[in-house]
Amino acid sequence: MKLAVIILTRNEEANIHDCIASVDFADEIIVVDSGSEDMTCEIAENLGAKVYQHPMDEEGFAGQRNFALDKTTADWVFYLDADERITPELAAEIRRHIEIVPQQAADIKRISVVLGQRMYHGVYRPDYITRLFPRDKVHWEGVVHEHARTELPIIRLQAPAHHYCLTSWEQYFEKFNRYTTLMAEKMYQSQKQTNLISAHLHALFAFLQMYIIKRGCLDGKLGFILCEYHYAYTLTKYVKLYYLTKKEKI
């Protein structure tokens, strides 16, 4: 069975080399780039990847992932983000999985690495995400938080991938602003409403959930800081929603 790894990129020159290097077990590597202005595409091509330029349209990330399916004839596809790395243990498990009959899609476990620290609790606790499919058994939907549609049963692989999701505070706050705006707009489109008291209560609950219930306290000083910022993130997205609805009434 042949396996293609699919990577979506835009200005990922800091990540793309190590990302591709971690999937040297694949038969084919497909990079779908949405307009990089750095050396992402050149680096990927020099490492043997097939690079396709495809501007992001109204279908968002799901559209990019579906576009990639038409660029390979491999039996299986594995989706990987540029800031993720496959461990040797997971690589071996993936190769074993694609030989299984009957076919099953698969989740992978991601351990987040934040400012050099692996996180096991709280906001950046390990998560599972469905990434491995027979090529003709998956279709993607969703603009921002895209999700896969498949009729196959889904199992969980045991070995982890590492997700280098944050390497600087500048990167954190850029994402903070972008995603709070996107989430506020999504809630607004769903006709969700809020007020400032409710916004603060949502934020307080978010902090307590991540710091105590999800045990962010066990990740030390960085865990506490990230839970504090999660309070601010939740408050900000609801405040942005509040002002969107207030603007509508003016």
Side-chain angles (χ1 to χ4, degrees):
M1 291 288 184
K2 289 189 176 181
L3 172 69
V5 171
I6 295 170
I7 307 168
L8 306 186
T9 60
R10 188 174 188 278
N11 294 333
E12 292 285 358
E13 68 177 8
N15 281 313
I16 194 63
H17 179 279
D18 290 348
C19 177
I20 290 176
S22 77
V23 291
D24 58 0
F25 62 93
D27 299 293
E28 185 178 37
I29 299 171
I30 304 291
V31 171
V32 177
D33 187 81
S34 58
S36 289
E37 298 170 342
D38 59 10
M39 296 294 291
T40 298
C41 297
E42 290 84 350
I43 295 170
E45 288 176 339
N46 289 338
L47 292 171
K50 297 178 181 178
V51 178
Y52 298 91
Q53 293 289 342
H54 189 253
M56 189 84 72
D57 58 20
E58 67 276 2
E59 294 184 3
F61 290 106
Q64 297 296 90
R65 294 188 188 279
N66 289 328
F67 171 84
L69 290 172
D70 295 328
K71 300 304 177 183
T72 180
T73 58
D75 306 287
W76 286 79
V77 291
F78 182 84
Y79 288 90
L80 186 67
D81 289 347
D83 59 0
E84 296 169 346
R85 311 287 181 265
I86 299 304
T87 61
E89 295 79 10
L90 180 56
E93 194 172 1
I94 290 170
R95 293 303 314 187
R96 290 193 299 269
H97 178 84
I98 67 176
E99 300 299 332
I100 292 175
V101 178
Q103 294 178 330
Q104 298 170 311
D107 286 347
I108 62 165
K109 179 181 180 179
R110 297 190 305 177
I111 297 176
S112 291
V113 182
V114 177
L115 301 174
Q117 178 178 329
R118 294 181 187 177
M119 310 301 291
Y120 294 98
H121 309 282
V123 181
Y124 289 93
R125 64 195 180 281
D127 63 350
Y128 286 88
I129 188 163
T130 313
R131 290 288 185 79
L132 180 60
F133 310 90
R135 180 179 52 82
D136 58 352
K137 301 294 185 182
V138 61
H139 181 79
W140 291 84
E141 299 177 355
V143 177
V144 180
H145 297 293
E146 72 279 13
H147 57 278
R149 292 285 188 185
T150 182
E151 295 180 358
L152 293 177
I154 301 172
I155 69 165
R156 285 185 172 181
L157 303 184
Q158 299 303 307
H162 292 148
H163 182 203
Y164 289 81
C165 52
L166 287 175
T167 57
S168 70
W169 286 117
E170 289 79 10
Q171 181 189 21
Y172 177 86
F173 286 111
E174 187 276 329
K175 286 185 175 182
F176 181 105
N177 185 52
R178 178 157 47 95
Y179 281 102
T180 52
T181 297
L182 288 170
M183 291 304 296
E185 290 173 347
K186 183 177 180 179
M187 290 189 292
Y188 178 73
Q189 291 167 3
S190 300
Q191 299 185 327
K192 190 176 182 67
Q193 304 227 351
T194 192
N195 56 55
L196 295 182
I197 293 175
S198 177
H200 281 85
L201 290 175
H202 277 293
L204 178 59
F205 176 76
F207 171 80
L208 294 175
Q209 182 184 44
M210 291 301 166
Y211 192 65
I212 297 176
I213 299 174
K214 301 298 183 183
R215 300 186 297 173
C217 56
L218 299 180
D219 278 328
K221 290 185 291 185
L222 184 57
F224 175 66
I225 291 168
L226 291 171
C227 289
E228 283 189 305
Y229 281 139
H230 189 62
Y231 173 98
Y233 172 91
T234 306
L235 178 62
T236 301
K237 72 179 181 182
Y238 277 100
V239 168
K240 287 182 177 181
L241 171 63
Y242 171 76
Y243 280 100
L244 280 174
T245 55
K246 186 177 179 181
K247 181 180 178 181
E248 182 186 56
K249 296 175 182 178
I250 295 176

